[in-house]
Amino acid sequence: MTAYQVVWRGPVSRASGLGIASREYVLALQRRGVDVKVDVKTHQLTRTPNRTNTLLAKFAQKPYAKNKPKVLIYHYPPNTINLKKERKRYDYIILNTVWETTKIPCCWLPNINQFDAVFVPSLHNKVAMRNSGVKVPLFIVPHGVHIHIFKPKNKKLLLKQLSGRFIFVSIFGFQHRKNPEALLRAYWEEFSSADRVALVIKTNGYSRVEKEEWIKNKIRNYKKMLRIRKKTAPVSIITHRLRQHQMKGIYTLGNVFVLPSRGEGVGLPFLESLSSGVPVIATGWGGHMDFLHSGNSFFIRYQLRPPAISMNSRHSISPTFRHLFAQKGQRWAEADIQSLKRQMRLAYRNPGLCRQKGRQGRRDMLNQSWLRAGFTLKQAIEKVIRIRRKRLFVHG
């Protein structure tokens, strides 16, 4: 057990990508022998009983260390912490965060430079932080993937009506940053009912209003607006929560995973797809470029543009979160529709190439485990401790 205690304050009970990362970082630290406590209300974990939550609940019940240094790792937006108050309780305070555009929100900066360090999951994030004026030490601590859970031999999700077709799979939250309109438009315009293809989308809304019918209605209205006259290839929309075996099976159902996202801090579905042996069609910009390459993916051309341009477009069909992503100086990647069409057609015509890229993706993911992420995270924590101790010694 380490000579310091890590207190993790983050969204460990959430079902989102951020929640998954928060849980997995905690578990990875524990496997690496770190004394880790979770700063969360126990009832948030016990209301959904499962193996992981039971373990995390034990970490939540653990007492705070009295005789060794305490390291707070804060996995929420940096503008939501009272640093003056936390400095009285903790010896070291580290921000663990992620961002998707070229610059962080302006409200983050005053607080962010008061942390002892910032941990980010990709080079994309590190560049965005530096370009935004972050001065404190920055460490890249990559996300991981469970290669024993997401694997090529997983039983496919059964969708009988799509049997015998080449399947495009996409998984994302229904928001503007994920660019659902480009995916749908490219698919409808490029393929017709004469093509043996199908697009399967697993998505979700962000409010009580944004349920299945609301999302499907947005998609139907968008198709009407585009005035597509031909009979199109089928699209299957899944909005309800899937169990883990179903989520595993939705990846292996696909011949290729496609997401023309405007910006990703990491892109967990890309990691999970590659681990499942399924290659990726992705915009060639963002945090996912740390692990995507031409051997495991098909890349969409893009241009960096201010987010407000696409948000104000008639093609915008999903929530924009404008207050976060449309600030002065921010840019993100707008996928080229024609390039997306070409890559989807290339994948469809070359199932053998998809299998080849998928096999390479699986090999690549063998080196992207959460245990490896835990090792990198532990090293970064201990380096922050050494840096701050040295600074205190010099100035003490």
Side-chain angles (χ1 to χ4, degrees):
M1 196 67 72
T2 50
Y4 56 88
Q5 183 183 62
V6 167
V7 178
W8 190 280
R9 192 182 300 169
V12 295
S13 61
R14 286 189 201 166
S16 62
L18 198 65
I20 291 169
S22 215
R23 287 191 292 278
E24 294 301 339
Y25 276 134
V26 169
L27 296 172
L29 283 176
Q30 187 263 342
R31 292 188 197 107
R32 286 293 180 182
V34 175
D35 177 5
V36 58
K37 173 181 170 54
V38 174
D39 187 7
V40 67
K41 301 292 184 185
T42 309
H43 71 84
Q44 293 178 319
L45 299 165
T46 53
R47 67 188 174 196
T48 310
N50 58 47
R51 200 173 182 180
T52 298
N53 282 349
T54 299
L55 185 56
L56 290 169
K58 287 182 180 179
F59 296 157
Q61 292 162 358
K62 183 188 284 191
Y64 289 95
K66 290 183 179 179
N67 300 316
K68 53 184 176 182
K70 294 194 293 295
V71 181
L72 174 64
I73 298 188
Y74 194 75
H75 198 190
Y76 287 114
N79 59 312
T80 59
I81 187 174
N82 184 334
L83 281 158
K84 188 175 181 180
K85 176 185 172 184
E86 303 299 347
R87 284 286 177 203
K88 295 174 183 178
R89 299 179 62 194
Y90 297 100
D91 301 276
Y92 310 93
I93 304 178
I94 299 167
L95 175 67
N96 189 73
T97 194
V98 63
W99 193 247
E100 293 89 4
T101 70
T102 55
K103 279 192 169 185
I104 62 175
C106 57
C107 62
W108 282 20
L109 199 56
N111 257 17
I112 211 168
N113 278 322
Q114 296 180 54
F115 284 84
D116 294 314
V118 179
F119 293 172
V120 293
S122 65
L123 179 61
H124 167 82
N125 281 264
K126 189 173 183 178
V127 171
M129 294 283 162
R130 285 288 180 240
N131 288 344
S132 301
V134 175
K135 306 295 184 186
V136 296
L138 280 162
F139 295 84
I140 296 176
V141 181
H143 284 187
V145 63
H146 286 300
I147 56 175
H148 61 284
I149 294 176
F150 297 98
K151 51 192 177 182
K153 291 185 179 180
N154 284 336
K155 186 178 179 181
K156 296 180 181 181
L157 183 69
L158 185 62
L159 295 176
K160 289 182 180 179
Q161 70 274 25
L162 304 183
S163 179
R165 293 178 179 270
F166 183 97
I167 308 290
F168 294 98
V169 164
S170 194
I171 300 173
F172 56 89
F174 196 68
Q175 61 164 298
H176 188 74
R177 178 170 60 83
K178 300 293 184 175
N179 207 357
E181 62 270 26
L183 172 62
L184 290 162
R185 180 183 168 191
Y187 177 76
W188 285 327
E189 291 181 355
E190 182 63 23
F191 299 102
S192 72
S193 58
D195 294 299
R196 295 291 295 168
V197 298
L199 172 61
V200 177
I201 293 174
K202 169 67 184 81
T203 190
N204 61 273
Y206 292 88
S207 72
R208 291 180 182 179
V209 175
E210 297 164 16
K211 303 291 186 182
E212 179 175 357
E213 192 52 38
W214 184 87
I215 292 172
K216 288 184 175 179
N217 193 47
K218 288 281 185 181
I219 291 171
R220 281 193 294 267
N221 289 340
Y222 183 54
K223 191 175 184 181
K224 287 178 184 176
M225 191 202 79
L226 291 175
R227 297 182 179 179
I228 294 172
R229 308 294 183 191
K230 66 183 178 183
K231 192 173 181 182
T232 55
V235 177
S236 180
I237 310 292
I238 303 170
T239 60
H240 59 274
R241 183 173 291 186
L242 298 179
R243 295 182 178 179
Q244 189 184 68
H245 74 275
Q246 293 173 309
M247 281 303 298
K248 294 188 293 185
I250 201 170
Y251 285 110
T252 50
L253 171 69
N255 296 88
V256 66
F257 182 95
V258 55
L259 184 62
S261 176
R262 294 179 163 100
E264 295 290 336
V266 180
L268 276 174
F270 294 138
L271 287 165
E272 292 170 352
S273 183
L274 292 181
S275 185
S276 303
V278 178
V280 164
I281 300 175
T283 312
W285 182 86
H288 49 279
M289 295 306 292
D290 281 8
F291 54 88
L292 297 190
H293 55 81
S294 59
N296 61 29
S297 304
F298 302 87
F299 290 122
I300 308 161
R301 294 181 181 274
Y302 67 91
Q303 288 186 340
L304 289 180
R305 291 179 179 169
I309 293 175
S310 58
M311 289 177 180
N312 295 334
S313 165
R314 68 191 183 99
H315 293 277
S316 179
I317 63 170
S318 53
T320 60
F321 299 99
R322 189 183 292 263
H323 65 290
L324 292 172
F325 299 120
Q327 295 187 9
K328 186 177 179 180
Q330 288 181 325
R331 293 187 301 163
W332 61 17
E334 288 295 338
D336 180 89
I337 291 288
Q338 298 307 317
S339 176
L340 173 55
K341 289 181 187 179
R342 286 194 297 271
Q343 297 296 13
M344 292 178 78
R345 177 64 69 174
L346 176 63
Y348 171 57
R349 285 178 175 168
N350 295 275
L353 178 60
C354 288
R355 289 191 292 271
Q356 178 186 322
K357 286 178 180 282
R359 286 192 295 269
Q360 181 59 53
R362 173 64 182 177
R363 288 192 291 269
D364 294 337
M365 292 304 101
L366 298 179
N367 296 315
Q368 289 281 147
S369 70
W370 277 110
L371 190 61
R372 174 178 172 267
F375 176 74
T376 308
L377 180 54
K378 183 182 177 184
Q379 281 190 318
I381 292 167
E382 292 174 357
K383 190 165 184 181
V384 172
I385 292 172
R386 289 195 301 271
I387 290 170
R388 182 160 167 78
R389 280 179 177 170
K390 187 175 179 181
R391 189 183 303 143
L392 289 172
F393 177 78
V394 171
H395 297 287

